[in-house]
Amino acid sequence: MGRDVVRVRVLLFARLRELVGSDAMEFDLMEGATLGELWERLREGFPSVRAFVHPPLMAVNQEYASPDRALTGGDEVAFFPPVSGG
Amino acid sequence: MFRIVGEALALDALVLHVSGAEVGGVATFVGIVRVENAGKRVVAVEYHAYPAMAEKVMREIGEELERLFGSLRIAMVHRTGRLSVGEASVVIAVGAAHRREALAAVSHAIERLKHDVPIWKKEFYEDGSEWLEPASVVPRAGINK
């Protein structure tokens, strides 16, 4: 039996949002795909993101996560630059 | 109280919020938009946030403060939107039984906020603008773990 396709929501912030020209989008992934794989998908789909040379910070459901984190349907993913509040 | 807000910050309200019969001292930090950064003359600053995550991470910082310094009353509020030079971008107030814990906690709180809370600053100069992106920030996966 094949893996299911799941849909995740992706939020972008700050300079990444400007590079992509959008603040949110949805991606269909194979269940178990990782955060790092999703980032590569984004880079392929939006070549302008390549101007962002460093790996971004990543979060799943409002918690920091590492690129090997497996995603499940309905996850809220966020990619963003190093933070600079204060 | 851990909040991202769009309007001007009022220190008095936060001090009141963290005061109480068991509180012997309140320490505060107010971050203000400065006219100069890295040799450039700043005319305005725009703060953007991921509000749901920012408030969640601020609550986690609050829990960390209480683990480190004992029982506290904490208010941490960051403003977003366009700010002029001299306006407050962040206010932190910590009430504790004794001054030492209040002062240490407020100092720890602003360092952690700057390192972990998903907020970004875009500076505007007379001749352009720029997102500030600290070069060497290591993401912390699950800061409470």
Side-chain angles (χ1 to χ4, degrees), chain B residues 50-127:
Chain B
Y50 177 5
M53 181 171 170
E55 293 182 353
K56 186 172 180 175
V57 175
M58 288 197 287
R59 282 194 299 275
E60 289 170 359
I61 292 171
E63 291 163 11
E64 182 180 307
L65 294 178
E66 293 208 284
R67 281 199 302 277
L68 290 170
F69 303 107
S71 179
L72 303 169
R73 299 186 69 149
I74 305 164
M76 198 182 290
V77 183
H78 202 297
R79 184 175 169 188
T80 55
R82 197 177 177 97
L83 279 68
S84 304
V85 170
E87 288 192 281
S89 55
V90 57
V91 176
I92 301 173
V94 178
H98 303 286
R99 69 183 182 284
R100 206 159 279 163
E101 287 72 24
L103 288 164
V106 87
S107 174
H108 190 79
I110 183 61
E111 296 304 323
R112 298 285 283 102
L113 181 147
K114 289 178 81 82
H115 191 272
D116 282 328
V117 178
I119 299 170
W120 303 272
K121 172 157 65 173
K122 189 175 197 177
E123 287 186 341
F124 291 81
Y125 316 109
E126 274 150 5
D127 60 348

Side-chain angles (χ1 to χ4, degrees), chain B residues 35-59:
Chain B
V35 72
E36 178 274 333
N37 190 30
K40 290 181 179 167
R41 190 175 174 80
V42 174
V43 295
V45 166
E46 243 178 54
Y47 284 96
H48 296 243
Y50 177 5
M53 181 171 170
E55 293 182 353
K56 186 172 180 175
V57 175
M58 288 197 287
R59 282 194 299 275

